[in-house]
Amino acid sequence: MRNNIVTRKISIKLLFIITLSFFLAIIACSLFSKYIIYNYILSRTESLSAAQYNIFASILFIVGMVVFILFFLFFIRNEIRYIKYIANEVKRFAGENFDLVLEIRGNDELAELCININSMSKKLKNTINKERAAEKTKNELITNVSHDLRTPLTAMIGYLDILKNDKVNNREKEMDYLKSAYNLSIKLKKLIDELFEYTKLAGGEIKLELIKVDICSILNQVIGEYLPILESKNLSVISHIPDTPILVKIDIEKMVRVFHNILSNAEKYSYKPSIIEINVEQNDKTLLISFSNRCKYISQDELDRMFERFYRADISRSSNIQGSGLGLAISKEIVRLHTGDIWAEANKDTITFKIKLQAI
């Protein structure tokens, strides 16, 4: 109801200005007729011909119209200036000045128009910024993937070239080269598979198969499966998982992938020996799962970047740690599809990955 009243304000104002201008024009015509036409012309003439009468009537009409227009323009001068101001600012906006913020004056249709233009400008700016960020991320992705594909591929070509040209006389060394080339091909396949999976997840092409399950039992099973790997690296696990079931609707396979990715990350980067701590907390319908491990200090900015791009791949170029660098990016997309959130926090040499989901 309020919007209808607001959008009628200019109409009411224009109607009032027209009425007032018309009334003032009538007064002006009356004064002109009385003091000019009658006193200076009619008082000196005994009778008027039809032609003279028509001339005086035309003059009176013209005077009335001129007065009406002058008063009308005077009363709407602020609106005209405001419209010109909007037009000039929109020209700037058309010139890709997306920081446009129009001044809001009054509470009528023009003010509403400015509010809508400001909203459109803000949304368009955000859209363009997102597109530019996506383009930058895509270019970085292509650069990083190209590097990660080229490095093992170059090594594979080298091994195969040696074998093809019979440059190895030792059978044992020949098998070592074959084994190295095979391992590199497996690494390439894993990288390509994960890149393909990440692209499908980010593009929304993967549909979740949601099932109501107890997240505590799922976590205990994942920890049990991963425990031998962790213990072999001199890492131990302390878990604080409730005995009572906590029901959630998840795609079990996808969410287990998230847990595996985080534990794999902890296994690779944790100080050894050290402890990995897992906590599960429920607050009403909000479920918070956290994984903490001790490792080299990472700034919060670097932690945020780990979910956005091939951050792990950047590290891998200067370390011997294996991996594609897509694990956390894939985890973020999976959690996002579950309408949840995942992030990392740093406290001195302790990194904590947190997953927020909705409990049933």
Side-chain angles (χ1 to χ4, degrees):
M1 187 67 181
R2 182 179 179 276
N3 289 337
N4 292 334
I5 293 173
V6 169
T7 54
R8 287 200 296 266
K9 281 197 171 185
I10 278 188
S11 301
I12 294 171
K13 187 174 183 179
L14 286 176
L15 184 61
F16 174 76
I17 290 173
I18 290 171
T19 303
L20 180 60
S21 299
F22 183 74
F23 179 72
L24 292 174
I26 291 175
I27 294 175
C29 287
S30 299
L31 294 174
F32 183 80
S33 174
K34 179 178 179 181
Y35 292 105
I36 303 298
I37 295 179
Y38 181 78
N39 288 342
Y40 291 95
I41 299 175
L42 296 182
S43 61
R44 301 175 185 179
T45 306
E46 294 181 357
S47 62
L48 291 174
S49 64
Q52 289 175 322
Y53 180 82
N54 289 335
I55 291 172
F56 291 142
S58 299
I59 293 172
L60 194 61
F61 176 76
I62 292 171
V63 170
M65 286 297 297
V66 171
V67 172
F68 172 81
I69 292 171
L70 290 175
F71 275 114
F72 181 78
L73 293 176
F74 175 77
F75 288 130
I76 66 167
R77 68 191 187 282
N78 290 332
E79 282 71 19
I80 292 174
R81 289 173 185 168
Y82 195 28
I83 291 172
K84 287 182 178 178
Y85 163 75
I86 294 172
N88 291 331
E89 291 299 301
V90 169
K91 283 182 182 178
R92 290 175 53 210
F93 179 73
E96 297 189 359
N97 179 15
F98 301 119
D99 293 322
L100 175 69
V101 178
L102 292 178
E103 180 184 349
I104 310 299
R105 302 174 189 171
N107 192 23
D108 52 23
E109 289 96 334
L110 292 178
E112 188 176 4
L113 174 63
C114 288
I115 292 171
N116 291 334
I117 290 174
N118 287 342
S119 176
M120 179 184 69
S121 173
K122 184 177 180 181
K123 289 179 180 178
L124 186 57
K125 180 181 178 181
N126 290 337
T127 300
I128 290 173
N129 287 340
K130 286 180 181 178
E131 288 178 354
R132 288 173 178 170
E135 184 68 21
K136 181 181 178 182
T137 301
K138 183 186 74 173
N139 292 335
E140 290 176 346
L141 184 68
I142 292 171
T143 301
N144 291 328
V145 170
S146 298
H147 182 281
D148 286 350
L149 289 175
R150 185 172 62 247
T151 302
L153 191 59
T154 302
M156 283 176 60
I157 292 172
Y159 288 133
L160 294 174
D161 181 66
I162 292 172
L163 294 171
K164 184 188 75 169
N165 295 313
D166 294 327
K167 295 179 180 179
V168 182
N169 298 322
N170 188 314
R171 177 62 179 171
E172 186 177 343
K173 201 165 188 178
E174 183 178 295
M175 291 304 297
D176 287 340
Y177 285 153
L178 280 172
K179 184 178 179 181
S180 297
Y182 176 78
N183 290 336
L184 287 169
S185 67
I186 295 298
K187 181 181 179 181
L188 276 175
K189 183 181 183 302
K190 182 180 179 182
L191 175 61
I192 292 169
D193 288 344
E194 290 197 342
L195 180 61
F196 182 65
E197 181 182 6
Y198 173 75
T199 303
K200 290 179 67 176
L201 284 167
E205 298 178 27
I206 293 181
K207 302 299 180 183
L208 300 180
E209 297 180 6
L210 299 176
I211 300 174
K212 188 193 298 184
V213 294
D214 174 22
I215 195 66
C216 297
S217 64
I218 296 293
L219 270 170
N220 284 324
Q221 183 177 344
V222 170
I223 294 169
E225 292 172 354
Y226 222 90
L227 196 57
I229 299 174
L230 297 174
E231 289 178 344
S232 68
K233 299 295 178 67
N234 210 6
L235 294 168
S236 57
V237 176
I238 296 178
S239 61
H240 303 280
I241 300 174
D243 296 327
T244 55
I246 300 177
L247 298 179
V248 292
K249 288 190 76 172
I250 59 171
D251 184 314
I252 298 176
E253 182 182 350
K254 299 284 188 301
M255 194 55 65
V256 166
R257 175 73 182 278
V258 174
F259 298 150
H260 273 287
N261 285 341
I262 295 175
L263 286 172
S264 174
N265 199 69
E267 176 254 315
K268 292 171 185 174
Y269 296 104
S270 290
Y271 290 142
K272 294 158 179 83
S274 66
I275 295 171
I276 298 172
E277 188 171 352
I278 302 171
N279 288 281
V280 176
E281 301 174 12
Q282 183 181 11
N283 184 11
D284 294 331
K285 294 295 182 180
T286 301
L287 174 67
L288 186 64
I289 305 169
S290 60
F291 298 79
S292 300
N293 64 283
R294 291 180 61 242
C295 64
K296 182 180 178 181
Y297 174 76
I298 303 176
S299 68
Q300 190 61 48
D301 179 61
E302 290 175 310
L303 285 174
D304 294 337
R305 287 169 55 204
M306 290 173 71
F307 294 97
E308 301 298 332
R309 53 188 294 268
F310 269 45
Y311 182 75
R312 224 304 293 155
D314 293 339
I315 297 175
S316 70
R317 296 181 186 117
S318 60
S319 72
N320 294 320
I321 297 175
Q322 300 297 316
S324 68
L326 280 167
L328 291 178
I330 289 172
S331 298
K332 180 179 180 179
E333 293 301 325
I334 291 174
V335 174
R336 180 185 62 82
L337 288 175
H338 284 81
T339 64
D341 194 14
I342 181 171
W343 71 97
E345 297 175 355
N347 181 14
K348 296 181 180 179
D349 65 347
T350 300
I351 305 298
T352 303
F353 288 89
K354 296 185 176 182
I355 304 170
K356 184 187 289 185
L357 298 171
Q358 292 298 313
I360 299 175

